[in-house]
DNA sequence: TATTGTTATACTCTATAACTATA
DNA sequence: TATAGTTATAGAGTATAACAATA
């Protein structure tokens, strides 16, 4: 009873770290960190975003994200411009250089995903994706509903 | 192509953080951190361990683990004793109080696991466990074989 | 007043390597 | 010389809260 090797939270944590560690090393050679890559992938997919929206998309805290964007701006990866409609908000967008770099990273990222799910059937992969999303939803609800106990 | 919402590494990371964050809050009320809980669960399961072995079991770096054990020792959760056979090694064991505390946490941990996999069938849960272990193996090999590229 | 984003502080985990004490 | 564990240092992420500018 309660063998870590059969305990879902532990298996989840270990698998996530294996993937993140492996891909981080690859990204380091390109001068990009994993959180930076998440920002780049999100902006590539969704287009220019406000900091708050980007925080939701990447699940990075706004204070962490603000400083991260500062670093990325220094490296010429993102632009921060005042929003037209709301002068409090900023519009974060990829520079041309970062967009090109992102296109170079995408195939690497897909290769890492393939390495992670190697030897799994398409239907298993589909199940995996669905269950991982469900876990996030199950616990996300639990976290925001403090009366759950 | 490359939507984070369908990208396995991202789904994995997000699910793992949801579970870890939710359970951390619960543990904080008992004065225990998540890494401490991992140490306690490992020692509960495997009995007294040397630091190196405990590092493998928990996937916590030895330097991090050494300081973590120092904190746990201060709180009276673990003992560190010289090994009989090898005077370089230490045997880490749970104190009686920590063993009792661990028994109190186990049902909480199982409840969190159940919350995470809520609405999943037994067969789905079995698939999930197998695939998560497989991902760890797939990437673990990749990480230790630097010629993989 | 509430909201958007920034900054400050303090804490934890990590990587790396120097260090000690044994073997 | 190699190994087990400890300690030091620097870097990155997080939480929390205070803060400025705008709504």
């Amino acid at each position: 009873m309660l063998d870590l090797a059969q305990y879902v939270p532990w298996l989840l944590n270990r698998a996530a770290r294996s993937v993140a560690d492996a891909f981080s090393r690859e990204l380091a050679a390109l001068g990009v960190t994993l959180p930076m890559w998440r920002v780049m992938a999100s902006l590539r997919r969704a287009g220019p975003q406000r900091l708050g929206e980007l925080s939701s998309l990447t699940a990075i805290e706004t204070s962490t994200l603000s400083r991260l964007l500062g670093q990325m701006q220094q490296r010429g990866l993102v632009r921060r411009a005042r929003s037209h409609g709301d002068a409090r908000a900023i519009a974060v967008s990829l520079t041309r250089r970062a967009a090109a770099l992102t296109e170079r990273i995408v195939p690497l990222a897909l290769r890492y995903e393939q390495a992670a799910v190697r030897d799994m059937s398409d239907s298993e992969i589909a199940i995996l994706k669905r269950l991982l999303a469900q876990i996030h939803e199950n616990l996300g609800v639990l976290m925001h509903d403090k009366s759950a106990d």
Side-chain angles (χ1 to χ4, degrees), chain A:
Chain A
M1 188 209 216
L2 212 157
D3 179 0
L4 286 184
Q6 288 296 319
Y7 182 56
V8 170
W10 165 246
L11 294 173
L12 204 49
N13 180 283
R14 198 183 54 165
R17 272 192 294 169
S18 293
V19 177
D21 288 353
F23 192 44
S24 287
R25 283 163 203 258
E26 193 91 3
L27 286 176
L30 298 168
V32 175
T33 65
L34 198 54
M36 287 180 186
W37 153 247
R38 287 193 190 124
V39 168
M40 292 161 73
S42 294
L43 293 177
R44 173 179 184 269
R45 166 85 183 168
Q49 298 291 318
R50 300 166 32 159
L51 187 138
E53 290 165 343
L54 199 51
S55 171
S56 300
L57 288 174
T58 57
I60 298 172
E61 286 285 322
T62 59
S63 65
T64 304
L65 184 56
S66 182
R67 273 179 304 119
L68 177 62
L69 290 176
Q71 295 169 22
M72 294 179 72
Q73 196 171 25
Q74 278 190 336
R75 302 192 197 184
L77 295 175
V78 296
R79 265 187 301 270
R80 286 194 270 197
R82 286 283 154 204
S83 276
H84 295 287
D86 185 338
R88 292 172 303 182
I90 60 169
V92 182
S93 56
L94 289 177
T95 62
R96 223 166 145 176
R97 207 186 114 242
L101 182 56
T102 305
E103 295 310 319
R104 275 177 58 205
I105 296 175
V106 166
L108 291 178
L110 292 174
R111 219 191 296 156
Y112 262 85
E113 183 181 39
Q114 284 169 7
V117 302
R118 180 168 37 190
D119 298 329
M120 296 182 194
S121 69
D122 286 350
S123 66
E124 282 177 329
I125 293 172
I127 292 172
L128 177 65
K129 288 181 180 178
R130 180 167 55 77
L131 297 184
L132 290 176
Q134 193 175 330
I135 288 173
H136 171 66
E137 280 176 34
N138 286 346
L139 271 299
V141 170
L142 211 159
M143 282 185 62
H144 296 301
D145 177 13
K146 297 310 175 63
S147 65
D149 206 22

